[in-house]
Amino acid sequence: MKISIKFSLAPGKASDLPIRMRIGYSGLRLDLRTGFVCPPDKWDSEAMRMKTGTGNRYHESASDINRELSRQEALIGEILARYDLDGTVPEPSVLKLDFDRRMGRLRKEDDPDTGINLIEAFARYMSDPANVLESATTNSYIT
């Protein structure tokens, strides 16, 4: 499977633009957020990284951001290599979910593979005493 990973600034007019990772594989394309922003004048389009010795408004250095971009690029490569060994091509939504899971971006409640459904979530919500309404309150809602 041929893979293309490119980093660029997301289009916009703000002073700091989000850094986007665009992944192309098997005729599919996926855009992912990297979690970083960069001023346009501090972005090197040729190298697809921040210019060395610079930083963003959140006081994140270019070297830290570039290191994380390389880590994310390697992670996508690992994930797609695993799919390639299985002989499958993941849908972009599946690849995004797998990437977010491996990056630790998913809360357990948001992960569809945790097996929690609506009924279980509601039961957990109602088991918290702070969420249970008093009978007088429910009567006032009814009338």
Side-chain angles (χ1 to χ4, degrees), residues 62-85:
S63 60
D64 291 341
I65 291 173
N66 292 338
R67 187 177 314 111
E68 180 61 22
L69 295 180
S70 295
R71 188 178 81 81
Q72 290 181 14
E73 184 175 20
L75 182 60
I76 285 291
E78 289 173 22
I79 293 169
L80 286 173
R82 187 185 49 171
Y83 281 110
D84 196 27
L85 286 175

PDB file of all heavy atoms in Angstrom, residues 62-85:
ATOM      1  N   ALA A  62       9.496  25.004  18.427  1.00  0.00           N
ATOM      2  CA  ALA A  62       9.438  24.336  17.126  1.00  0.00           C
ATOM      3  C   ALA A  62      10.034  22.940  17.211  1.00  0.00           C
ATOM      4  O   ALA A  62       9.521  22.000  16.592  1.00  0.00           O
ATOM      5  CB  ALA A  62      10.171  25.164  16.078  1.00  0.00           C
ATOM      6  N   SER A  63      11.081  22.786  17.992  1.00  0.00           N
ATOM      7  CA  SER A  63      11.699  21.450  18.089  1.00  0.00           C
ATOM      8  C   SER A  63      10.748  20.452  18.737  1.00  0.00           C
ATOM      9  O   SER A  63      10.660  19.297  18.298  1.00  0.00           O
ATOM     10  CB  SER A  63      13.027  21.523  18.858  1.00  0.00           C
ATOM     11  OG  SER A  63      12.809  22.010  20.168  1.00  0.00           O
ATOM     12  N   ASP A  64      10.005  20.870  19.765  1.00  0.00           N
ATOM     13  CA  ASP A  64       9.030  19.977  20.396  1.00  0.00           C
ATOM     14  C   ASP A  64       7.886  19.632  19.441  1.00  0.00           C
ATOM     15  O   ASP A  64       7.465  18.477  19.357  1.00  0.00           O
ATOM     16  CB  ASP A  64       8.459  20.608  21.667  1.00  0.00           C
ATOM     17  CG  ASP A  64       9.480  20.704  22.791  1.00  0.00           C
ATOM     18  OD1 ASP A  64      10.500  19.981  22.735  1.00  0.00           O
ATOM     19  OD2 ASP A  64       9.260  21.506  23.713  1.00  0.00           O
ATOM     20  N   ILE A  65       7.405  20.639  18.742  1.00  0.00           N
ATOM     21  CA  ILE A  65       6.303  20.417  17.797  1.00  0.00           C
ATOM     22  C   ILE A  65       6.761  19.510  16.658  1.00  0.00           C
ATOM     23  O   ILE A  65       6.075  18.543  16.307  1.00  0.00           O
ATOM     24  CB  ILE A  65       5.761  21.759  17.264  1.00  0.00           C
ATOM     25  CG1 ILE A  65       5.043  22.509  18.397  1.00  0.00           C
ATOM     26  CG2 ILE A  65       4.825  21.543  16.082  1.00  0.00           C
ATOM     27  CD1 ILE A  65       4.620  23.913  18.047  1.00  0.00           C
ATOM     28  N   ASN A  66       7.932  19.782  16.091  1.00  0.00           N
ATOM     29  CA  ASN A  66       8.439  18.968  14.984  1.00  0.00           C
ATOM     30  C   ASN A  66       8.688  17.529  15.416  1.00  0.00           C
ATOM     31  O   ASN A  66       8.440  16.591  14.653  1.00  0.00           O
ATOM     32  CB  ASN A  66       9.705  19.586  14.398  1.00  0.00           C
ATOM     33  CG  ASN A  66       9.422  20.890  13.685  1.00  0.00           C
ATOM     34  OD1 ASN A  66       8.296  21.152  13.270  1.00  0.00           O
ATOM     35  ND2 ASN A  66      10.446  21.721  13.552  1.00  0.00           N
ATOM     36  N   ARG A  67       9.166  17.349  16.647  1.00  0.00           N
ATOM     37  CA  ARG A  67       9.384  15.998  17.160  1.00  0.00           C
ATOM     38  C   ARG A  67       8.054  15.256  17.265  1.00  0.00           C
ATOM     39  O   ARG A  67       7.943  14.085  16.887  1.00  0.00           O
ATOM     40  CB  ARG A  67      10.065  16.066  18.525  1.00  0.00           C
ATOM     41  CG  ARG A  67      10.492  14.720  19.070  1.00  0.00           C
ATOM     42  CD  ARG A  67      11.231  14.818  20.415  1.00  0.00           C
ATOM     43  NE  ARG A  67      12.252  15.852  20.440  1.00  0.00           N
ATOM     44  CZ  ARG A  67      12.172  16.983  21.164  1.00  0.00           C
ATOM     45  NH1 ARG A  67      11.126  17.218  21.918  1.00  0.00           N
ATOM     46  NH2 ARG A  67      13.131  17.864  21.142  1.00  0.00           N
ATOM     47  N   GLU A  68       7.025  15.933  17.743  1.00  0.00           N
ATOM     48  CA  GLU A  68       5.709  15.305  17.867  1.00  0.00           C
ATOM     49  C   GLU A  68       5.097  15.015  16.497  1.00  0.00           C
ATOM     50  O   GLU A  68       4.435  13.996  16.306  1.00  0.00           O
ATOM     51  CB  GLU A  68       4.774  16.192  18.692  1.00  0.00           C
ATOM     52  CG  GLU A  68       3.397  15.628  18.877  1.00  0.00           C
ATOM     53  CD  GLU A  68       3.341  14.294  19.609  1.00  0.00           C
ATOM     54  OE1 GLU A  68       4.280  13.963  20.349  1.00  0.00           O
ATOM     55  OE2 GLU A  68       2.339  13.573  19.419  1.00  0.00           O
ATOM     56  N   LEU A  69       5.309  15.909  15.534  1.00  0.00           N
ATOM     57  CA  LEU A  69       4.818  15.651  14.176  1.00  0.00           C
ATOM     58  C   LEU A  69       5.476  14.398  13.598  1.00  0.00           C
ATOM     59  O   LEU A  69       4.807  13.572  12.962  1.00  0.00           O
ATOM     60  CB  LEU A  69       5.081  16.854  13.262  1.00  0.00           C
ATOM     61  CG  LEU A  69       4.341  18.151  13.589  1.00  0.00           C
ATOM     62  CD1 LEU A  69       4.719  19.240  12.586  1.00  0.00           C
ATOM     63  CD2 LEU A  69       2.844  17.957  13.638  1.00  0.00           C
ATOM     64  N   SER A  70       6.766  14.233  13.844  1.00  0.00           N
ATOM     65  CA  SER A  70       7.467  13.038  13.365  1.00  0.00           C
ATOM     66  C   SER A  70       6.932  11.790  14.061  1.00  0.00           C
ATOM     67  O   SER A  70       6.782  10.734  13.434  1.00  0.00           O
ATOM     68  CB  SER A  70       8.964  13.166  13.610  1.00  0.00           C
ATOM     69  OG  SER A  70       9.496  14.222  12.847  1.00  0.00           O
ATOM     70  N   ARG A  71       6.627  11.899  15.341  1.00  0.00           N
ATOM     71  CA  ARG A  71       6.070  10.765  16.079  1.00  0.00           C
ATOM     72  C   ARG A  71       4.703  10.378  15.532  1.00  0.00           C
ATOM     73  O   ARG A  71       4.399   9.201  15.342  1.00  0.00           O
ATOM     74  CB  ARG A  71       5.966  11.100  17.566  1.00  0.00           C
ATOM     75  CG  ARG A  71       5.576   9.902  18.439  1.00  0.00           C
ATOM     76  CD  ARG A  71       5.528  10.286  19.903  1.00  0.00           C
ATOM     77  NE  ARG A  71       4.293  10.951  20.254  1.00  0.00           N
ATOM     78  CZ  ARG A  71       3.148  10.309  20.511  1.00  0.00           C
ATOM     79  NH1 ARG A  71       3.081   9.008  20.438  1.00  0.00           N
ATOM     80  NH2 ARG A  71       2.070  10.993  20.852  1.00  0.00           N
ATOM     81  N   GLN A  72       3.866  11.387  15.252  1.00  0.00           N
ATOM     82  CA  GLN A  72       2.542  11.112  14.694  1.00  0.00           C
ATOM     83  C   GLN A  72       2.650  10.488  13.302  1.00  0.00           C
ATOM     84  O   GLN A  72       1.892   9.578  12.956  1.00  0.00           O
ATOM     85  CB  GLN A  72       1.707  12.394  14.653  1.00  0.00           C
ATOM     86  CG  GLN A  72       1.297  12.882  16.021  1.00  0.00           C
ATOM     87  CD  GLN A  72       0.443  14.133  15.981  1.00  0.00           C
ATOM     88  OE1 GLN A  72      -0.067  14.522  14.929  1.00  0.00           O
ATOM     89  NE2 GLN A  72       0.282  14.777  17.130  1.00  0.00           N
ATOM     90  N   GLU A  73       3.604  10.964  12.524  1.00  0.00           N
ATOM     91  CA  GLU A  73       3.819  10.407  11.188  1.00  0.00           C
ATOM     92  C   GLU A  73       4.229   8.931  11.288  1.00  0.00           C
ATOM     93  O   GLU A  73       3.736   8.083  10.548  1.00  0.00           O
ATOM     94  CB  GLU A  73       4.895  11.222  10.472  1.00  0.00           C
ATOM     95  CG  GLU A  73       5.154  10.823   9.053  1.00  0.00           C
ATOM     96  CD  GLU A  73       6.156  11.761   8.384  1.00  0.00           C
ATOM     97  OE1 GLU A  73       6.914  12.471   9.081  1.00  0.00           O
ATOM     98  OE2 GLU A  73       6.169  11.776   7.145  1.00  0.00           O
ATOM     99  N   ALA A  74       5.123   8.622  12.222  1.00  0.00           N
ATOM    100  CA  ALA A  74       5.563   7.238  12.408  1.00  0.00           C
ATOM    101  C   ALA A  74       4.409   6.362  12.894  1.00  0.00           C
ATOM    102  O   ALA A  74       4.277   5.204  12.476  1.00  0.00           O
ATOM    103  CB  ALA A  74       6.726   7.189  13.399  1.00  0.00           C
ATOM    104  N   LEU A  75       3.564   6.915  13.762  1.00  0.00           N
ATOM    105  CA  LEU A  75       2.423   6.158  14.280  1.00  0.00           C
ATOM    106  C   LEU A  75       1.444   5.799  13.165  1.00  0.00           C
ATOM    107  O   LEU A  75       0.973   4.660  13.080  1.00  0.00           O
ATOM    108  CB  LEU A  75       1.725   6.953  15.381  1.00  0.00           C
ATOM    109  CG  LEU A  75       0.544   6.275  16.057  1.00  0.00           C
ATOM    110  CD1 LEU A  75       0.967   4.979  16.724  1.00  0.00           C
ATOM    111  CD2 LEU A  75      -0.059   7.215  17.084  1.00  0.00           C
ATOM    112  N   ILE A  76       1.162   6.744  12.288  1.00  0.00           N
ATOM    113  CA  ILE A  76       0.281   6.463  11.144  1.00  0.00           C
ATOM    114  C   ILE A  76       0.912   5.390  10.260  1.00  0.00           C
ATOM    115  O   ILE A  76       0.234   4.477   9.786  1.00  0.00           O
ATOM    116  CB  ILE A  76       0.003   7.750  10.338  1.00  0.00           C
ATOM    117  CG1 ILE A  76      -0.983   8.635  11.080  1.00  0.00           C
ATOM    118  CG2 ILE A  76      -0.524   7.431   8.944  1.00  0.00           C
ATOM    119  CD1 ILE A  76      -2.396   8.093  11.171  1.00  0.00           C
ATOM    120  N   GLY A  77       2.222   5.480  10.069  1.00  0.00           N
ATOM    121  CA  GLY A  77       2.917   4.464   9.279  1.00  0.00           C
ATOM    122  C   GLY A  77       2.791   3.076   9.896  1.00  0.00           C
ATOM    123  O   GLY A  77       2.551   2.089   9.198  1.00  0.00           O
ATOM    124  N   GLU A  78       2.920   2.994  11.229  1.00  0.00           N
ATOM    125  CA  GLU A  78       2.773   1.713  11.928  1.00  0.00           C
ATOM    126  C   GLU A  78       1.349   1.165  11.781  1.00  0.00           C
ATOM    127  O   GLU A  78       1.166  -0.031  11.529  1.00  0.00           O
ATOM    128  CB  GLU A  78       3.082   1.878  13.412  1.00  0.00           C
ATOM    129  CG  GLU A  78       4.519   2.100  13.746  1.00  0.00           C
ATOM    130  CD  GLU A  78       4.700   2.430  15.223  1.00  0.00           C
ATOM    131  OE1 GLU A  78       3.819   2.102  16.047  1.00  0.00           O
ATOM    132  OE2 GLU A  78       5.743   3.030  15.556  1.00  0.00           O
ATOM    133  N   ILE A  79       0.365   2.025  11.969  1.00  0.00           N
ATOM    134  CA  ILE A  79      -1.027   1.590  11.881  1.00  0.00           C
ATOM    135  C   ILE A  79      -1.337   1.074  10.481  1.00  0.00           C
ATOM    136  O   ILE A  79      -1.918  -0.006  10.318  1.00  0.00           O
ATOM    137  CB  ILE A  79      -1.980   2.745  12.270  1.00  0.00           C
ATOM    138  CG1 ILE A  79      -1.831   3.089  13.746  1.00  0.00           C
ATOM    139  CG2 ILE A  79      -3.434   2.376  11.957  1.00  0.00           C
ATOM    140  CD1 ILE A  79      -2.538   4.378  14.160  1.00  0.00           C
ATOM    141  N   LEU A  80      -0.939   1.827   9.465  1.00  0.00           N
ATOM    142  CA  LEU A  80      -1.219   1.404   8.090  1.00  0.00           C
ATOM    143  C   LEU A  80      -0.414   0.166   7.698  1.00  0.00           C
ATOM    144  O   LEU A  80      -0.892  -0.670   6.928  1.00  0.00           O
ATOM    145  CB  LEU A  80      -0.972   2.552   7.121  1.00  0.00           C
ATOM    146  CG  LEU A  80      -2.036   3.655   7.156  1.00  0.00           C
ATOM    147  CD1 LEU A  80      -1.624   4.834   6.290  1.00  0.00           C
ATOM    148  CD2 LEU A  80      -3.391   3.122   6.730  1.00  0.00           C
ATOM    149  N   ALA A  81       0.790   0.017   8.242  1.00  0.00           N
ATOM    150  CA  ALA A  81       1.579  -1.186   7.962  1.00  0.00           C
ATOM    151  C   ALA A  81       0.884  -2.425   8.529  1.00  0.00           C
ATOM    152  O   ALA A  81       0.887  -3.490   7.905  1.00  0.00           O
ATOM    153  CB  ALA A  81       2.981  -1.043   8.548  1.00  0.00           C
ATOM    154  N   ARG A  82       0.279  -2.288   9.690  1.00  0.00           N
ATOM    155  CA  ARG A  82      -0.447  -3.414  10.293  1.00  0.00           C
ATOM    156  C   ARG A  82      -1.635  -3.808   9.419  1.00  0.00           C
ATOM    157  O   ARG A  82      -1.877  -4.990   9.182  1.00  0.00           O
ATOM    158  CB  ARG A  82      -0.925  -3.043  11.695  1.00  0.00           C
ATOM    159  CG  ARG A  82      -1.540  -4.210  12.449  1.00  0.00           C
ATOM    160  CD  ARG A  82      -2.092  -3.753  13.729  1.00  0.00           C
ATOM    161  NE  ARG A  82      -2.919  -2.573  13.427  1.00  0.00           N
ATOM    162  CZ  ARG A  82      -3.712  -1.984  14.287  1.00  0.00           C
ATOM    163  NH1 ARG A  82      -3.801  -2.411  15.487  1.00  0.00           N
ATOM    164  NH2 ARG A  82      -4.435  -0.949  13.937  1.00  0.00           N
ATOM    165  N   TYR A  83      -2.366  -2.804   8.913  1.00  0.00           N
ATOM    166  CA  TYR A  83      -3.485  -3.104   8.010  1.00  0.00           C
ATOM    167  C   TYR A  83      -2.977  -3.744   6.716  1.00  0.00           C
ATOM    168  O   TYR A  83      -3.616  -4.634   6.169  1.00  0.00           O
ATOM    169  CB  TYR A  83      -4.291  -1.846   7.692  1.00  0.00           C
ATOM    170  CG  TYR A  83      -5.243  -1.445   8.793  1.00  0.00           C
ATOM    171  CD1 TYR A  83      -5.009  -0.310   9.558  1.00  0.00           C
ATOM    172  CD2 TYR A  83      -6.378  -2.191   9.057  1.00  0.00           C
ATOM    173  CE1 TYR A  83      -5.872   0.063  10.563  1.00  0.00           C
ATOM    174  CE2 TYR A  83      -7.261  -1.827  10.060  1.00  0.00           C
ATOM    175  CZ  TYR A  83      -7.005  -0.695  10.818  1.00  0.00           C
ATOM    176  OH  TYR A  83      -7.869  -0.339  11.817  1.00  0.00           O
ATOM    177  N   ASP A  84      -1.838  -3.271   6.238  1.00  0.00           N
ATOM    178  CA  ASP A  84      -1.278  -3.809   5.005  1.00  0.00           C
ATOM    179  C   ASP A  84      -0.885  -5.279   5.179  1.00  0.00           C
ATOM    180  O   ASP A  84      -1.100  -6.103   4.284  1.00  0.00           O
ATOM    181  CB  ASP A  84      -0.063  -2.979   4.582  1.00  0.00           C
ATOM    182  CG  ASP A  84       0.353  -3.219   3.144  1.00  0.00           C
ATOM    183  OD1 ASP A  84      -0.514  -3.597   2.325  1.00  0.00           O
ATOM    184  OD2 ASP A  84       1.541  -3.028   2.840  1.00  0.00           O
ATOM    185  N   LEU A  85      -0.342  -5.622   6.350  1.00  0.00           N
ATOM    186  CA  LEU A  85      -0.008  -7.025   6.625  1.00  0.00           C
ATOM    187  C   LEU A  85      -1.254  -7.906   6.667  1.00  0.00           C
ATOM    188  O   LEU A  85      -1.209  -9.071   6.273  1.00  0.00           O
ATOM    189  CB  LEU A  85       0.740  -7.139   7.956  1.00  0.00           C
ATOM    190  CG  LEU A  85       2.189  -6.664   7.952  1.00  0.00           C
ATOM    191  CD1 LEU A  85       2.770  -6.714   9.358  1.00  0.00           C
ATOM    192  CD2 LEU A  85       3.029  -7.484   6.999  1.00  0.00           C
TER     193      LEU A  85
END
